[in-house]
Amino acid sequence: MILRGRMQVPSTWTPSSQSQETRRLQPGSGAREKCGAAVEEPPRGEEVWNLQLSGAGGSPRNLTAGINQGKCLRSRRGFSSGSPPAAGDQRRAETMWLNPEEVLLKNALKLWVTERSNDFFLLQRRRGHGEPTGRISGLLVGALDSVLDSNARVSPFRILLQVPGSQVSWVVASGAAVEEVKKHWDWLVHNLLRSLSVFENKEDVASFVTGKVRGLIAEEVRGRQAAQEEEPEKFREALVKFELHFGLPSSEKLVTFYSCCCWKGRVPRQGFLYLSINHAAFYSFLLGKEVKFVIPWAEVTWLERLSGGLMTDAVRINTRHRQREFSMFLNPEEAFGVIGQLADIALRRLLDSEGLEVDRVLQQPARITKRILEEQALREYVLALFRLPRSECLHEVASCSVWTPHARCHTAGTLYATDGYLCFSGREEGVCMLLIPLSEVLSIEEAASTTLLPNPVIVSVRTKKAFQLIELQARDQLVASVSSRLRALQWKTSTFRSRRDGKRSASAPTPYYTFYYDTGPSDDDEVEEQVLRNTVNSEALMTAFHQKQPGTHGDQRAEREKERRWEEHFSEFGRGVHMFRTDRMHRLVAMGIPESLRGELWMTLSDASSQVEAHQGYYASLVQKSMGHSSLATEEIERDLHRSLPDHPAFQNPTGIAALRRVLTAYAHRNPKIGYCQSMNILASVLLLYTKEEEAFWLLVAVCERMLPDYFNRRVIGAQVDQSVFEQLIRERLPELAERVPDVSALSSVSLSWFLTLFLSALPFVSGVRVVDCFFLHGINAIFRLGLTALEANAAPLSACTDDGQAMMILASFLDQVVSEESPCPPSSPPAAEDGSTISDVSVVRHITDLINESHERFGDLTVRQVESLRCRHRIRVLQAHEDTTKDNALRVVTPDVSISAETLSAVYDLFKTEHFISLYWGDGSSAAAAWRPGDSCRSRVERQYRLDRPQFKSLYGLLAPWAADAHQHADTLANRTFTLLDQDGDSLVTFRAFTGWLNTLYCEELNEKIRLLYRLHLPPALTESEDDPPLMKSPPMSTNRPLCVTLPSGAAAAEPDYQEQLKQMLKDLGRERGRDVEKPVPLMNQRQFIQFCKTLYSMFHGDPEENELFQAIAHVTSLVLQIGEARHRGWGSEVVRDEGEWTVSLAQIVASLLTEQTLVNFFEKPVDLSAKVAAAKQKQYHQRAGLLSLQRAPR
């Protein structure tokens, strides 16, 4: 089986190749992914899948067996689209319906020629297309198209919808071939043209046609998506039901679905579980009862398999509020794997987008399909198994056999071909592995096929050796594909070398690399340190400092014996990165790598040697660029330099310190996303002891970016994930210990330093280096195995522990007694307790070789596939734990400033976060930057975690505002003003703190503060001059010489107050409020702003049970305030400060006026239950926001 393209398969999943049909999507076929209701032509260079599916592919429980059956062929190729096929181009041109897009000028710049037209449609051709080449207009348009980038190029034919009397048209279809465009034209003429003539309102014509076109696009997308599945008709039917039952936007792409039962107590409900890119949704209709619910992946906290009782092979999905059990899957392992992948991808994309690496394909949710998930899982497995760079793409997977000279036979297994490697693994993981970088390959050739050697391929490498592969299915395609990549790599390498040689010849003859060691103090310390800072060491530090470390080499005879055994191994298994890696190598590594070969083998096993060869001069340039630059990373590096192996003489000397500084600073400059993390200094110190400085840099790159992915990011997510995995392994592999220890998480927390420093901080130095040897051979599995072995050896004393500190002391004492055979120093005694006894009963000295061998024997069956599957699940738990911490911190920051209850405030935070996620789910992606922006480095993480842009805020405003608005348009205006007021930083984003302050004012503050908020909403910057004046302002100016006339209830005329006396009394009272206004000054309000203020009040009262009384009260208040403003304007009254300027009133005057009307006071002081409002908003949020987003995405 050969597979081209990015392959990812769940850890327990077999590639689905069940379909008997064979189909291909050729380059240029116009295949497009689903993205909402719109289908757009892919940009030039986008990759399209070429598929050939046949046969049935293996057991779902054995991925390798399924692969070896060789039933699937897939290919991925780039193509160019957008520009029309040139003469002789054999690509198939396709016309497509387009999401209707406005064109303001039907024939802008005379770039289009109308071929056909009627009352409603135009068929146009791009000027110059199909015309004689000598015409100047065609040449000009052709030149314009050629200079535009590939995304801007247009098809040569298009169909426009035009509405009589309108200057706006809509593009509804485009294509590259006139025949195909004419088919679309004929369809419009025969099916729509007659219907359009019956519309009286021409605007309805545009709505009808655009809606019809969007329906055609949706149907086309459904068909295309269904065609990618094993059973297209069933998937099409499921897609329709998914959209019908749950009402989610069309951009919520369905990935797959399963028939299963959902349990409610002991009662199962048979139905369908729909898995989309952002949600798991279940629907059941049984015996007249409908059950349906949606679980966002962002709310999933844990996934687990259940087996026992009524629920056999069940899947449990846990959220923060409840758990759901699903069972009776036809293939439970597949379902569990897909659920885990989708939850993991969604959480990495939503919760920690800046901290974790997400594959480029998975960053585009609209492209995720079930097949993509399979391929992604397989790719992740291959990258972890061979510890390849994260940027590698998997192109081919083929079952084959490789000639193994040491075994004198062909070994069966699987060949994986990536961008830069050929990788082979035997059928049993880890028994026989081979890694061949393409940079080492000279040629790959087909050989004559015989009965004994079917379909052989010979791979020749630069060390004058060759590898023979046989039984390769689709051999020709494999060889052609790999040869193509090999030629491209060789051309790139030769070009780079020629440029590099040219630069070298033009540069100074003095080499940059010099060897400089000074083991003693210098008289001129400043000059020496300056020289050391800019001198790159060309030898390992151990070569200069081993004499200062007595006994480091141990018994010289033992060292020579190790060297002899390794030389024999090299002669039999090969030497260099492409040597065979077998169980025999494990035994040699467990016995210890001789120090003379340690650096070479570390470089070989990690393939850092290939990086050094491919990036010559890169480290030197990084050192030059990074030295002298100051940043937070360099400050942390300086603090930790002298904490790195302080007992080793190499780092008691300026030479070692300078080398360590250069390596860490260069890496921080190379990868600012990681920068520097504690424990990197310890790793880099050990690497510098056994390798050259440049090699140590590339080893650090391999460890941080490939072998320990996500370990050294901002929150050490990778290390915490492995801690969580380690906790589950303790429960599974050491059940007796797990039962006796009340809190297993305490044991796993002790292990954080084990994972971050590879036991270097826990074991004696020589023993720790031996663990690093195993790490470079087995990867992180070596650390898991050794950790389990240490816990098992201390099971009895750990079971008797009473606290975490005692457990830590026991393990520290045990590991301190683990020594190397060549170590000259006796182990230190275990720490004594107060009664004189030792803390640990395990005070016997252990040899590191015995511990390594024991770990391999007891836990050697722990495979890379199992670890990757566990990591996927436990990453969900770790990310959600971080999310809970972030939420707690955010609530702790805002709680002192508000009077909202803790429970309600937590619900408001969930609502706020969900609103942000909804825009990430179904928005246009523009709000994805709302969580992080480049200028946010000065903010705390709590302040910048979740923020809302204007559409998001307006959605929540409509759900949470306590007062209903009269008109939707005015409510929208008020929401815009509120957003502008809360956007204190002017970055078009509202923080959670500002949002809760706004809610607290509306629901918990007194009348004065509520009026102050409304008052500020009608002043700049909330109220802008660009806003349209209300109809009231467009009418003749209102008189302020007399009170407003209002209709009063019968008998109320006699009670009409004396406005003149009331005004004088109010002005006296306002004098006493002047001090408060000085303390918190608020600008005065002019007449236009006051009228807007009144309009807002009128809209708030609409629909209230006391609507009439409120209208009358506000009329009285309005008349009174207008007279106050007129008095200030004319300087009327002896007690008024003369102000001959603009008509104005103050906040205090408005508040005092409102207080004269008890009806208004009751309205503003009426308590409103915020918790009930939030609960109702949570129920409406999804569907309301989905509808708004659908409207925003629709053409106007």
Side-chain angles (χ1 to χ4, degrees):
M1 186 260 314
I2 296 181
L3 178 145
R4 293 183 183 175
R6 295 188 176 181
M7 287 292 300
Q8 307 107 330
V9 178
S11 58
T12 56
W13 225 90
T14 303
S16 298
S17 47
Q18 315 271 333
S19 176
Q20 297 294 330
E21 65 174 336
T22 299
R23 52 193 173 89
R24 292 190 180 188
L25 298 179
Q26 297 296 344
S29 63
R32 296 171 298 278
E33 295 289 345
K34 176 180 178 181
C35 183
V39 181
E40 300 179 358
E41 191 70 14
R44 185 170 189 171
E46 183 173 346
E47 296 157 324
V48 172
W49 291 97
N50 292 350
L51 309 175
Q52 286 185 342
L53 304 178
S54 61
S59 168
R61 297 183 179 271
N62 190 337
L63 175 63
T64 305
I67 293 174
N68 291 338
Q69 290 179 7
K71 300 297 184 181
C72 178
L73 170 69
R74 299 177 187 172
S75 176
R76 191 173 193 171
R77 300 173 182 172
F79 75 102
S80 300
S81 66
S83 58
D89 194 340
Q90 299 301 319
R91 295 178 304 168
R92 173 175 168 262
E94 178 181 342
T95 300
M96 52 185 267
W97 297 110
L98 297 177
N99 197 37
E101 179 181 354
E102 287 185 1
V103 179
L104 296 180
L105 298 176
K106 292 183 289 185
N107 205 11
L109 302 179
K110 302 297 183 180
L111 298 178
W112 294 90
V113 178
T114 300
E115 297 282 335
R116 297 184 182 183
S117 65
N118 53 45
D119 291 340
F120 295 99
F121 297 105
L122 296 174
L123 192 157
Q124 294 185 332
R125 170 179 54 82
R126 188 73 166 174
R127 187 176 295 278
H129 181 82
E131 297 179 356
T133 56
R135 293 193 177 182
I136 186 65
S137 60
L139 293 175
L140 290 175
V141 176
L144 177 63
D145 289 343
S146 65
V147 299
L148 292 175
D149 60 54
S150 58
N151 293 331
R153 296 184 186 178
V154 295
S155 299
F157 297 96
R158 70 179 184 180
I159 299 177
L160 297 181
L161 165 67
Q162 61 174 1
V163 177
S166 173
Q167 296 298 317
V168 179
S169 299
W170 290 266
V171 181
V172 297
S174 68
V178 64
E179 295 81 6
E180 294 293 329
V181 175
K182 287 181 178 179
K183 290 181 180 179
H184 285 62
W185 173 269
D186 293 339
W187 188 92
L188 291 171
V189 170
H190 292 114
N191 293 275
L192 294 185
L193 191 58
R194 294 182 180 178
S195 302
L196 299 182
S197 60
V198 302
F199 286 94
E200 296 181 0
N201 187 350
K202 299 306 181 182
E203 293 181 357
D204 294 339
V205 173
S207 300
F208 175 77
V209 175
T210 54
K212 185 64 177 178
V213 171
R214 286 197 300 272
L216 293 173
I217 293 173
E219 184 63 25
E220 181 180 332
V221 170
R222 290 194 194 100
R224 185 178 300 109
Q225 185 178 353
Q228 298 176 1
E229 303 299 323
E230 300 171 12
E231 300 177 277
E233 292 304 322
K234 287 187 177 180
F235 189 86
R236 185 195 299 269
E237 181 182 352
L239 185 59
V240 172
K241 290 182 178 179
F242 174 70
E243 296 175 351
L244 177 65
H245 294 324
F246 302 102
L248 300 178
S250 58
S251 55
E252 181 65 19
K253 183 176 181 180
L254 180 65
V255 177
T256 189
F257 67 99
Y258 296 98
S259 173
C260 64
C261 288
C262 177
W263 290 78
K264 185 177 182 180
R266 301 176 65 87
V267 179
R269 301 284 303 185
Q270 179 64 38
F272 285 92
L273 179 64
Y274 300 89
L275 305 180
S276 66
I277 54 178
N278 298 304
H279 303 84
F282 180 79
Y283 181 84
S284 172
F285 187 83
L286 194 64
L287 300 177
K289 185 176 182 180
E290 182 183 59
V291 175
K292 65 178 180 180
F293 55 84
V294 174
I295 306 174
W297 295 126
E299 294 297 323
V300 175
T301 58
W302 180 239
L303 300 172
E304 57 184 322
R305 292 280 301 275
L306 304 176
S307 185
L310 296 176
M311 291 183 288
T312 303
D313 282 334
V315 175
R316 174 178 290 169
I317 301 178
N318 293 275
T319 65
R320 289 182 175 84
H321 306 293
R322 66 175 304 165
Q323 59 188 27
R324 302 277 190 177
E325 291 87 13
F326 304 91
S327 67
M328 300 185 186
F329 291 96
L330 184 63
N331 190 336
E333 290 188 3
E334 174 192 316
F336 186 69
V338 173
I339 291 172
Q341 278 187 283
L342 287 172
D344 177 47
I345 292 168
L347 288 174
R348 281 193 285 173
R349 180 168 50 90
L350 298 173
L351 297 187
D352 203 76
S353 58
E354 57 84 37
L356 293 176
E357 295 292 338
V358 181
D359 187 74
R360 183 171 58 89
V361 174
L362 303 181
Q363 291 175 354
Q364 305 173 23
R367 297 184 61 183
I368 296 177
T369 63
K370 184 180 177 182
R371 182 180 302 136
I372 290 292
L373 295 179
E374 301 170 14
E375 295 160 354
Q376 174 68 13
L378 180 56
R379 175 180 172 271
E380 292 288 341
Y381 167 69
V382 172
L383 295 184
L385 180 63
F386 296 97
R387 298 183 287 281
L388 303 180
R390 309 298 296 177
S391 59
E392 287 292 305
C393 299
L394 186 61
H395 293 283
E396 290 91 19
V397 178
S399 59
C400 68
S401 297
V402 173
W403 174 255
T404 48
H406 57 275
R408 300 293 188 271
C409 65
H410 285 87
T411 300
T414 305
L415 178 71
Y416 305 95
T418 70
D419 289 333
Y421 295 88
L422 291 176
C423 313
F424 174 82
S425 176
R427 289 180 177 175
E428 186 177 348
E429 184 182 292
V431 173
C432 179
M433 294 176 59
L434 178 65
L435 181 67
I436 308 176
L438 287 186
S439 58
E440 296 287 322
V441 175
L442 293 177
S443 64
I444 175 169
E445 302 172 338
E446 301 178 17
S449 182
T450 65
T451 304
L452 297 178
L453 300 176
N455 298 332
V457 171
I458 306 299
V459 180
S460 303
V461 297
R462 291 194 296 178
T463 56
K464 298 182 179 179
K465 291 187 177 181
F467 298 91
Q468 184 188 72
L469 292 77
I470 64 171
E471 299 176 345
L472 272 167
Q473 299 186 14
R475 177 185 62 169
D476 297 345
Q477 297 182 34
L478 173 67
V479 172
S481 178
V482 176
S483 297
S484 175
R485 293 197 297 275
L486 178 60
R487 288 191 299 270
L489 178 63
Q490 291 173 343
W491 176 84
K492 181 180 178 181
T493 303
S494 62
T495 303
F496 173 77
R497 285 179 178 173
S498 62
R499 292 180 179 177
R500 185 184 61 211
D501 294 341
K503 290 182 180 180
R504 281 184 179 177
S505 61
S507 61
T510 303
Y512 180 76
Y513 288 93
T514 58
F515 179 70
Y516 185 93
Y517 284 118
D518 185 1
T519 57
S522 171
D523 294 334
D524 193 350
D525 293 337
E526 294 183 1
V527 175
E528 175 190 1
E529 181 163 348
Q530 186 63 28
V531 172
L532 289 174
R533 281 176 178 266
N534 297 280
T535 303
V536 176
N537 299 331
S538 59
E539 296 293 339
L541 293 179
M542 191 65 78
T543 59
F545 292 99
H546 69 279
Q547 293 179 353
K548 300 291 183 180
Q549 181 80 1
T552 298
H553 285 279
D555 188 355
Q556 296 298 323
R557 229 180 326 182
E559 282 291 302
R560 287 194 294 270
E561 177 63 20
K562 291 179 184 178
E563 292 174 359
R564 183 188 64 79
R565 291 183 178 181
W566 274 99
E567 293 296 337
E568 291 178 355
H569 182 82
F570 291 150
S571 63
E572 189 174 355
F573 292 84
R575 187 166 190 167
V577 67
H578 41 65
M579 64 180 172
F580 286 96
R581 307 178 190 188
T582 64
D583 284 338
R584 182 172 173 180
M585 178 175 282
H586 162 74
R587 292 192 294 271
L588 287 176
V589 170
M591 293 171 61
I593 299 177
E595 292 196 353
S596 59
L597 296 175
R598 177 164 280 135
E600 175 190 343
L601 283 170
W602 285 1
M603 296 290 292
T604 295
L605 295 174
S606 65
D607 191 39
S609 55
S610 298
Q611 299 298 314
V612 174
E613 177 68 20
H615 300 86
Q616 294 184 17
Y618 175 78
Y619 175 67
S621 64
L622 271 184
V623 171
Q624 290 178 331
K625 294 176 183 177
S626 61
M627 282 302 169
H629 291 276
S630 178
S631 64
L632 178 61
T634 58
E635 293 175 3
E636 294 176 347
I637 290 171
E638 290 297 327
R639 284 198 300 265
D640 288 348
L641 284 177
H642 295 278
R643 305 174 187 172
S644 310
L645 303 183
D647 297 331
H648 199 286
F651 299 100
Q652 297 171 354
N653 185 281
T655 300
I657 295 296
L660 181 60
R661 176 188 292 111
R662 286 191 297 271
V663 169
L664 293 176
T665 306
Y667 184 79
H669 191 77
R670 163 191 165 85
N671 192 344
K673 193 171 185 179
I674 291 178
Y676 171 76
C677 179
Q678 285 187 347
S679 76
M680 288 173 62
N681 58 321
I682 298 177
L683 295 177
S685 301
V686 175
L687 300 177
L688 281 167
L689 289 175
Y690 296 99
T691 60
K692 301 175 184 178
E693 187 174 321
E694 183 178 13
E695 295 174 341
F697 168 79
W698 285 109
L699 279 174
L700 185 64
V701 171
V703 171
C704 295
E705 298 177 10
R706 294 193 276 122
M707 304 184 73
L708 296 177
D710 301 321
Y711 260 59
F712 302 101
N713 58 18
R714 177 175 44 83
R715 295 185 288 171
V716 292
I717 296 292
Q720 295 184 53
V721 170
D722 281 350
Q723 270 189 284
S724 186
V725 171
F726 188 57
E727 181 180 337
Q728 179 166 340
L729 291 176
I730 293 173
R731 291 192 174 94
E732 294 178 354
R733 302 300 183 106
L734 304 174
E736 295 182 0
L737 176 62
E739 290 177 2
R740 296 176 184 175
V741 176
D743 186 10
V744 179
S745 61
L747 296 179
S748 64
S749 63
V750 175
S751 67
L752 180 60
S753 64
W754 299 355
F755 289 96
L756 284 174
T757 66
L758 308 180
F759 277 95
L760 286 169
S761 62
L763 289 170
F765 174 75
V766 178
S767 301
V769 173
R770 296 278 297 277
V771 174
V772 177
D773 295 340
C774 298
F775 170 75
F776 279 113
L777 177 62
H778 295 295
I780 196 61
N781 282 20
I783 309 301
F784 282 121
R785 295 168 184 169
L786 200 62
L788 291 172
T789 304
L791 293 180
E792 186 178 42
N794 293 272
L798 288 174
S799 300
C801 284
T802 58
D803 55 55
D804 299 348
Q806 189 176 1
M808 187 178 299
M809 293 288 288
I810 291 173
L811 291 173
S813 174
F814 170 79
L815 294 175
D816 193 48
Q817 309 301 310
V818 178
V819 299
S820 178
E821 294 81 351
E822 60 267 23
S823 176
C825 303
S828 59
S829 301
E834 294 180 358
D835 58 359
S837 61
T838 60
I839 290 182
S840 174
D841 296 332
V842 188
S843 57
V844 180
V845 175
R846 299 289 298 269
H847 286 154
I848 186 63
T849 301
D850 298 335
L851 200 65
I852 291 173
N853 286 328
E854 183 180 347
S855 69
H856 190 70
E857 292 172 3
R858 289 281 293 112
F859 307 106
D861 59 335
L862 179 63
T863 64
V864 172
R865 191 183 302 281
Q866 293 171 353
V867 170
E868 288 301 302
S869 175
L870 290 173
R871 278 176 166 177
C872 180
R873 292 168 53 198
H874 285 269
R875 192 181 296 110
I876 297 171
R877 170 177 286 177
V878 171
L879 288 176
Q880 292 288 19
H882 278 276
E883 182 64 17
D884 291 340
T885 302
T886 301
K887 177 180 178 179
D888 293 341
N889 292 337
L891 296 181
R892 184 168 58 251
V893 168
V894 303
T895 296
D897 300 332
V898 298
S899 302
I900 304 174
S901 66
E903 182 179 357
T904 303
L905 195 60
S906 175
V908 170
Y909 181 91
D910 294 338
L911 205 67
F912 191 87
K913 182 180 73 172
T914 301
E915 187 63 36
H916 175 75
F917 284 168
I918 287 176
S919 291
L920 295 181
Y921 294 160
W922 307 315
D924 58 3
S926 60
S927 61
W932 300 98
R933 287 193 175 181
D936 292 339
S937 57
C938 59
R939 297 172 179 264
S940 67
R941 177 172 176 79
V942 172
E943 293 175 337
R944 58 185 177 173
Q945 173 65 14
Y946 296 116
R947 292 176 288 170
L948 301 184
D949 59 14
R950 190 177 296 271
Q952 295 167 342
F953 175 81
K954 288 167 64 175
S955 175
L956 283 187
Y957 181 94
L959 293 171
L960 296 178
W963 305 306
D966 182 16
H968 173 75
Q969 181 178 0
H970 190 71
D972 186 75
T973 301
L974 205 59
N976 278 317
R977 294 177 189 167
T978 306
F979 178 85
T980 304
L981 183 64
L982 298 182
D983 179 20
Q984 300 172 355
D985 298 330
D987 56 359
S988 299
L989 296 171
V990 170
T991 64
F992 178 67
R993 188 169 189 170
F995 184 78
T996 53
W998 169 70
L999 281 181
N1000 185 70
T1001 300
L1002 293 181
Y1003 285 91
C1004 303
E1005 294 289 354
E1006 297 179 351
L1007 178 144
N1008 288 1
E1009 292 302 316
K1010 295 178 182 179
I1011 300 302
R1012 176 184 289 268
L1013 174 62
L1014 290 173
Y1015 184 90
R1016 294 176 62 196
L1017 290 177
H1018 297 82
L1019 297 175
L1023 181 68
T1024 63
E1025 294 296 332
S1026 61
E1027 287 190 25
D1028 293 335
D1029 290 333
L1032 189 62
M1033 290 296 292
K1034 296 179 181 179
S1035 60
M1038 121 181 7
S1039 172
T1040 58
N1041 295 328
R1042 57 183 177 81
L1044 292 177
C1045 296
V1046 295
T1047 303
L1048 297 177
S1050 58
E1056 184 176 351
D1058 185 349
Y1059 287 102
Q1060 302 291 344
E1061 293 298 325
Q1062 193 176 61
L1063 176 60
K1064 293 180 180 179
Q1065 182 62 38
M1066 284 175 53
L1067 293 176
K1068 292 180 181 180
D1069 296 336
L1070 291 177
R1072 292 190 291 268
E1073 298 290 335
R1074 190 176 302 276
R1076 181 176 180 182
D1077 286 343
V1078 171
E1079 183 179 355
K1080 293 184 178 180
V1082 180
L1084 298 177
M1085 180 179 284
N1086 62 31
Q1087 189 176 37
R1088 172 181 176 272
Q1089 295 163 351
F1090 175 69
I1091 294 176
Q1092 291 278 12
F1093 179 83
C1094 295
K1095 181 178 179 181
T1096 298
L1097 293 179
Y1098 274 100
S1099 68
M1100 290 167 50
F1101 302 150
H1102 182 74
D1104 191 272
E1106 300 180 358
E1107 180 178 350
N1108 291 334
E1109 292 81 357
L1110 289 169
F1111 283 161
Q1112 293 169 9
I1114 196 60
H1116 292 156
V1117 170
T1118 301
S1119 178
L1120 186 59
V1121 175
L1122 286 172
Q1123 290 190 48
I1124 294 174
E1126 189 71 20
R1128 292 177 65 94
H1129 179 55
R1130 296 183 178 181
W1132 169 79
S1134 60
E1135 300 176 5
V1136 179
V1137 178
R1138 284 186 171 273
D1139 183 4
E1140 299 296 338
E1142 185 183 7
W1143 185 102
T1144 58
V1145 292
S1146 68
L1147 170 63
Q1149 292 168 337
I1150 292 179
V1151 172
S1153 301
L1154 290 172
L1155 290 175
T1156 62
E1157 296 291 338
Q1158 188 61 39
T1159 306
L1160 296 177
V1161 174
N1162 294 339
F1163 176 83
F1164 284 106
E1165 291 186 345
K1166 179 172 58 178
V1168 181
D1169 188 358
L1170 177 59
S1171 59
K1173 197 79 172 180
V1174 171
K1178 189 174 182 180
Q1179 298 295 326
K1180 303 176 183 177
Q1181 185 179 24
Y1182 254 54
H1183 292 289
Q1184 174 174 311
R1185 184 71 169 133
L1188 290 174
L1189 288 171
S1190 298
L1191 290 175
Q1192 291 172 9
R1193 295 167 64 91
R1196 289 171 290 178

